[in-house]
């Protein structure tokens, strides 16, 4: 039976230590010869052999694209939890190139001599089954809690999960006996026997047993790759090629692994034999109408959500579905748990347009657009809908050095941007957390560490490339569709999907960064004085303040951070001196550093948020005693677990209020509070709203209809509704502070 797997070819190299570099050189030779896989046997009790895991690691560092695998690991000598972490680590280091062959054990006298436990064949199968379960649980780093499993042979009592591999590492079993073959069908991703140990008919019989076991647990037998270790030809090369092709067509072998230590044989296998076998198989499959093996398992297909035409995803557009290995890493954001029905990851503006067209064919499903996935509003994921994830649009390039003009994709992270700009002595004010994506911030505002001196992130945008709701791709700037360009800077999530930004950045050299921790037990007075000091400070000083709930029998603590754009230590200390008088200092740290170094404060890996964020924002002209008293009451009551004030004003206020869609430029402070109980948090926030100009949409998770008017004053909102009616009259972009189009406006 032909299972329709794409053909792969590899080599089985003896890990001899007489010339320790020889196996590694042969692995590189196999890669250069076009082979897909290099494998090494695992017999750690053989003094003539290198340790297989060490050799795999060394060979991975010496190669670039070829996959590597043990053929097969002797499990009784390799504890599953340790093996799982070692495999995931090597997979990460190699860029997703590890495949894992496992065996239940052989040469028991040698295993016992090295401390292993002798097992009967039945016990060995049971032990292997337990081990596979532990390995896969350990790799499932997104799951909550530790690994708990009490088996007859292995146990875990709260072992930590992770690391998560770079790809879905397949587990192949070297199996011959009925119970091992059945285990392969139930749990494994591949069957890896050696041709020399098989009798005529064994492949067909083994496949039948594997297929029956797979079907018995609801698996599609086509999910299980059939691999075969083979020897070289006896003389008739053409006959051998035909024999290999027939093994694919009759017995389903999808991977052939040649046992060879001769460079010439390896080269011939990759450059001559493999292409010839592929050609024969392709021709015969076309005549037979063979169905290619599915790329998704039966369990993954069963996880698909109703109402989504998965088979209609545009060709070439990467999609992640529920049940896919990558799904746990893309379903949620930093702040919000999600279970979208599909996540589309375009890598070009045209693919963004194709993804958007796919979404428009599903008008009843929620649509979210994501750049970095950090957003406090949490709107870049959903439940059962479509997410367009822009992480692959992450280029950062200098397009005009004299003008300090750079082009940046929406999927880049700000810590990456800061590192590239630092090479030129430049910086771009961009929030306070390096893992935030460019797209969300650069369409909303961007209140960062350099705001008082250099303004908002959007104040540096000189052009935006945007995909509109109808799939049109436009580049807008002050001279080309100025109305849309105006709207993109402050309300861009309503208008389209930004696929690149052109920024004019600033020259920024060494600077000071301070972290000061205070006893702020007299909270209201502390807040008022901090606000007064910030407003009196030169624009080179931008300060943020963070507080949490008051702890029993502990002083109230305030964390004050300040960036001082001066390069002389004495100047930095002098400008920080007024802050030092705010109250008793509990801790302090002042560094002469760089903007890029400050922005390395984040992990840009997968995000696994849970639940719904509860955040409220306010834009304040000053920290009045009345406002400070409300904040103190909120913290004393424990109704906000995280409260932050960011200083703005300065260069932000220099820009006219109507220059961008972002409003409230005369506010001197931006406040945000996180809570767990909306009723309790809103009771305080309702009082604070009387002292506020409105909300900053990136810091507010409320879904109240009134929030639109609080974010955009009447004149701003009227202009935005007119633009919305022209570029998105059907309200395709409606999940992030959706602005209703103005009735009757069509152009």
């Amino acid at each position: 039976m032909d299972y329709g797997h794409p053909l792969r070819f590899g080599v089985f190299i003896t890990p001899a230590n007489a010339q320790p570099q020889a196996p590694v050189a042969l692995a590189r030779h196999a890669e250069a010869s076009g082979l897909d896989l290099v494998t090494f046997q695992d017999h750690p009790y053989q003094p003539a052999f290198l340790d297989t895991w060490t050799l795999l690691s060394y060979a991975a560092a010496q190669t670039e694209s070829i996959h590597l695998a043990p053929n097969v690991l002797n499990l009784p000598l390799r504890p599953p939890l340790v093996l799982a972490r070692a495999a995931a680590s090597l997979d990460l280091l190699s860029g997703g190139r590890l495949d894992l062959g496992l065996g239940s054990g052989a040469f028991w006298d040698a295993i016992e001599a090295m401390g292993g436990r002798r097992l009967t064949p039945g016990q060995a199968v049971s032990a292997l089954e337990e081990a596979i379960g532990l390995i896969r649980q350990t790799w499932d780093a997104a799951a909550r809690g530790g690994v708990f499993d009490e088996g007859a042979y292995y146990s875990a009592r709260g072992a930590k999960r992770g690391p998560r591999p770079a790809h879905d590492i397949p587990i192949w079993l070297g199996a011959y006996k009925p119970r091992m073959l059945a285990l392969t069908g139930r749990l494994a991703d591949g069957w890896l026997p050696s041709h020399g140990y098989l009798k005529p008919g064994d492949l067909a019989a083994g496949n039948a047993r594997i297929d029956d076991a797979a079907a018995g647990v609801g698996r599609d037998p086509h999910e299980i790759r059939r691999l075969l270790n083979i020897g070289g030809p006896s003389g008739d090369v053409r006959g051998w090629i035909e024999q290999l092709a027939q093994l694919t067509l009759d017995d389903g072998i999808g991977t052939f692994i040649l046992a060879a230590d001769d460079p010439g044989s390896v080269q011939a296998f990759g450059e001559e034999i493999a292409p010839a076998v592929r050609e024969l198989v392709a021709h015969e499959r076309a005549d037979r109408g063979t169905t290619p093996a599915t790329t998704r398992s039966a369990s993954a297909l069963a996880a698909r959500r109703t109402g989504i035409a998965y088979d209609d995803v545009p060709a070439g557009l990467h999609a992640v579905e529920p049940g896919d290995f990558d799904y746990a890493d893309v379903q949620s954001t930093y702040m919000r748990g999600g279970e979208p029905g599909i996540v589309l990851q375009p890598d070009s503006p045209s693919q963004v347009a194709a993804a958007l067209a796919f979404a428009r064919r599903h008008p009843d499903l929620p649509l979210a657009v994501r750049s970095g996935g950090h957003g406090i509003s949490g709107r870049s994921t959903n439940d059962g809908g479509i997410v367009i994830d822009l992480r692959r649009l992450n280029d950062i390039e200098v397009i005009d050095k004299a003008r300090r003009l750079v082009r940046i994709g929406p999927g880049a992270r700000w810590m990456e941007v800061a590192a590239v700009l630092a090479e030129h002595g430049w910086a771009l004010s961009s929030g306070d957390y390096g893992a935030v994506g460019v797209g969300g911030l650069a369409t909303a505002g961007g209140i960062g560490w350099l705001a008082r001196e250099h303004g908002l992130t959007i104040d540096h945008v000189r052009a935006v490339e945007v995909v509109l709701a109808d799939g049109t791709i436009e580049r807008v700037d002050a001279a080309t569709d100025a109305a849309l360009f105006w709207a993109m800077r402050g309300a861009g999530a309503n208008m389209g999907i930004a696929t690149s930004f052109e920024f004019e950045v600033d020259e920024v050299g060494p600077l000071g960064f301070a972290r000061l921790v205070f006893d702020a037990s007299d909270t209201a007075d502390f807040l008022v004085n901090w606000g007064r000091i910030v407003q009196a400070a030169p624009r080179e000083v931008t300060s943020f303040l963070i507080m949490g709930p008051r702890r029993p029998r502990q002083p109230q603590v305030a964390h004050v951070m300040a960036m001082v754009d001066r390069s002389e230590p004495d100047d930095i200390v002098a400008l920080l001196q007024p802050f030092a008088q705010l109250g008793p200092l509990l801790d302090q740290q002042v560094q002469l550093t760089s903007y890029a170094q400050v922005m390395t404060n984040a992990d840009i890996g997968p995000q696994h948020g849970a639940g719904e964020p509860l955040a409220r924002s306010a834009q304040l002209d000053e920290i009045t005693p009345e406002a400070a008293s409300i904040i103190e009451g909120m913290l004393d009551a424990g109704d906000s677990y995280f409260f932050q004030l960011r200083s703005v004003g300065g260069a932000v206020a220099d820009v006219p209020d109507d220059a961008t869609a972002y409003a409230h430029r005369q506010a001197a402070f931006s406040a945000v509070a996180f809570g767990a109980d909306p009723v309790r948090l809103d009771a305080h926030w309702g009082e604070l709203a009387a002292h506020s100009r409105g909300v900053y949409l990136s810091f507010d998770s409320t879904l109240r209809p009134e929030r639109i008017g609080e974010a955009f004053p009447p004149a701003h909102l009227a202009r935005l509704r007119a633009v919305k009616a022209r570029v998105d009259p059907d309200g395709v972009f409606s999940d992030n502070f959706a602005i209703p189009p103005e009735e009757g406006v069509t152009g």
Side-chain angles (χ1 to χ4, degrees), residues 93 141 209 259 314 350 356 388 404 415 457 482 497 506 572 628 636 647 672 701:
L93 290 167
R209 190 171 293 275
S350 61
L356 191 52
I388 298 178
R404 300 192 303 277
M415 65 185 294
T457 304
I497 302 177
D506 297 298
I572 295 168
D636 284 350
S647 60
V672 60
S701 66

Side-chain angles (χ1 to χ4, degrees), residues 462-464 474-486 726:
R462 299 296 174 258
V464 185
E474 293 190 11
R475 180 188 180 278
V476 299
D477 56 25
T480 305
D481 202 340
L484 178 56
F485 182 56
W486 175 87
R726 174 167 61 88

Side-chain angles (χ1 to χ4, degrees), residues 450-481:
L450 296 168
R452 295 186 72 241
E453 182 180 18
H454 294 297
L456 302 172
T457 304
I458 61 171
D459 297 336
H460 296 264
V461 176
R462 299 296 174 258
V464 185
E465 182 182 69
V466 57
V467 178
L468 301 179
D470 64 359
T472 303
I473 303 172
E474 293 190 11
R475 180 188 180 278
V476 299
D477 56 25
T480 305
D481 202 340

Side-chain angles (χ1 to χ4, degrees), residues 17 49 98 122 155 197 211 255 296 326 329 358 374 384 389 395 401 427 450 458 472 508 538 574 628 632 668 690:
N17 62 28
F49 285 175
L98 179 73
S155 64
Y197 292 130
D211 294 353
T255 301
R296 289 187 166 88
D326 296 340
D329 291 342
F358 178 85
H374 178 81
D389 182 333
D395 289 346
K401 192 169 184 178
L450 296 168
I458 61 171
T472 303
V508 177
E632 180 177 32

